[in-house]
Amino acid sequence: MSVDDTTLPKQPDTLPSPWRSTRFRLFFTARSASLLADGMLMVSLTTAVLGAGHGATGVGYALAAWMTPIVLLVLFGGVLADRFTPQLMMICADVARMLAMLTLATLLFSSDSVPLWQIMGLMALSGAATAMFQPGMASMVPRVAEDIQKANALLRISEALSTLLGPGLAGILVAYWQVSGSYVVIAAAYALSALVLLPLRKLHTERDEGDAPMWRRLATGWQEFRSRQWLWGVIAVWSVYGLFVFGPALPLGAALMIEQHGASGYGWIASADGAGTIIGGLIGMRVRPRRPLVAGALAMLCFALNPLAPALEWSFAATAIAHVIAGYGFAFWGVMWATSVQSHIPLTVLSRVSAYDVAGSIMVIPLGRALAGPAADAFGANEVLIFSSVMSFALLAVMLSVPAIRALQRAPGGLLSKPEAEPAV
């Protein structure tokens, strides 16, 4: 049975900063460490596969080996997080990823030509662990912070910083300590995440103690998901957005910006995007709109500048400014969306509902990226990106036309229930 969102208890709007909470500081540290590892992973993986002589095709296979288990298993990760507590699943996932990275580091240190199947197998293990980690992350935020919106904003800033620092750190390690050394540091980051989550393992949770089989637990999560029109309405639009906007924007936009501004210029533009994300997170800490999804969608309109700037061949300065604005819009939307989900969904099913959110949001992006190349060959890269920009506006307009999305109001204080006392650390 679904919980009526209008019956949520009232909470005061003035809440203590998440930084005052030991549990949030621990969770923030864990999340930042795992994000830094994820940011390093793509550079390290590409270098390792190319260095082993498997070429660009091998890089594609290795990335697919990592991404496929996430898409296939994330729903089960949500069920297990609600059944065994999210913090336990996240700790186990971090340990599994640490072992996978250490094994890969050992293989790369001992041989210059690691077989592709071994790299793919270890990346698949890491992807499966990520599928177990991701759903529980959303349901941890209401458990470790009273001010959910500010906590999400801080996590968004951490994500931006990790995205900026991770690839650069991996590049330095690869250059001065070989690629195996970068994987040792990635493993250490996952180990740090697991260690700082350990004090939270006994954090009180609304644990699902039932004996229902896996399929019934999945069905319960689906019922909770589809019973809220604002929730599945956003994800339906977001899926199409991933296909037509997120999918083409990265590969085609990167190719055009490198062609127009050089590799160094593209690096600075990517940094500008990260700076915009930080700005969006900072604004998300302060601005508390009454209708968060409306405010977030209006800010997300700025993301249309991301594919538009390279498509119209704007100057370096104009493209960098466009990416700052686009990064702001994406980050502010992310804060509004995460806070809405976490403050309107019961904690007992939040991991499962978050898993449907993740699955619906990411499953079509690889298809969009795969189709971007053929579409560019057929119509031209510039034309495809202009189409992506137009679709960005159109899809967000569709989102805002849904009454349930427009009507969703901020839960006062952003809480379903009063958090428990600080755990002993």
Side-chain angles (χ1 to χ4, degrees), residues 161-333:
L161 290 173
S162 298
T163 301
L164 287 172
L165 297 176
L169 178 58
I172 292 171
L173 290 170
V174 167
Y176 294 99
W177 198 22
Q178 299 184 342
V179 68
S180 58
S182 69
Y183 277 103
V184 171
V185 174
I186 292 171
Y190 286 135
L192 174 61
S193 177
L195 284 173
V196 296
L197 284 172
L198 277 174
L200 299 177
R201 67 190 184 280
K202 295 182 179 180
L203 187 68
H204 172 72
T205 56
E206 300 291 335
R207 186 173 171 181
D208 177 5
E209 298 287 359
D211 295 324
M214 179 73 74
W215 68 267
R216 189 178 295 279
R217 297 175 188 274
L218 283 171
T220 299
W222 172 252
Q223 173 61 27
E224 294 288 344
F225 178 81
R226 76 177 188 88
S227 66
R228 295 169 172 81
Q229 188 179 14
W230 64 268
L231 181 61
W232 61 259
V234 168
I235 297 303
V237 171
W238 212 243
S239 297
V240 183
Y241 199 97
L243 179 65
F244 291 116
V245 184
F246 288 140
L250 179 60
L252 299 185
L256 286 180
M257 284 185 285
I258 289 173
E259 180 182 317
Q260 295 162 9
H261 309 295
S264 176
Y266 172 64
W268 283 109
I269 291 169
S271 297
D273 194 287
T277 302
I278 294 172
I279 293 170
L282 291 172
I283 293 175
M285 292 175 64
R286 305 295 299 176
V287 178
R288 298 179 185 270
R290 190 162 60 92
R291 288 183 167 83
L293 296 186
V294 172
L298 290 174
M300 190 63 192
L301 288 170
C302 298
F303 191 82
L305 295 173
N306 183 295
L308 189 64
L312 298 182
E313 301 182 8
W314 289 355
S315 67
F316 169 77
T319 301
I321 292 171
H323 275 70
V324 170
I325 297 171
Y328 146 74
F330 181 72
F332 188 79
W333 159 260

Side-chain angles (χ1 to χ4, degrees), residues 122-148:
L122 290 169
M123 290 306 299
L125 173 60
S126 179
T130 299
M132 301 297 108
F133 182 97
Q134 196 68 25
M137 187 190 69
S139 61
M140 281 292 290
V141 175
R143 294 178 168 110
V144 299
E146 292 188 61
D147 193 333
I148 295 177

Side-chain angles (χ1 to χ4, degrees), residues 5 20 34 40 49 90 113 117 125 127 156 183 209 211 226 249 318 320 324 328 379-380 396-397 408 416 420:
D5 296 336
R20 294 177 57 185
S34 64
M40 296 176 61
V49 174
M90 293 170 73
S113 56
W117 70 266
L125 173 60
R156 184 66 62 170
Y183 277 103
E209 298 287 359
D211 295 324
R226 76 177 188 88
V324 170
Y328 146 74
F379 304 104
L396 290 168
L408 187 76
L416 284 165
E420 66 284 352

Side-chain angles (χ1 to χ4, degrees), residues 73-97:
L73 299 177
V74 68
L75 294 179
F76 298 99
V79 171
L80 294 173
D82 282 335
R83 177 65 181 86
F84 297 108
T85 74
Q87 55 269 41
L88 177 60
M89 295 306 302
M90 293 170 73
I91 291 170
C92 293
D94 278 332
V95 171
R97 294 191 290 187

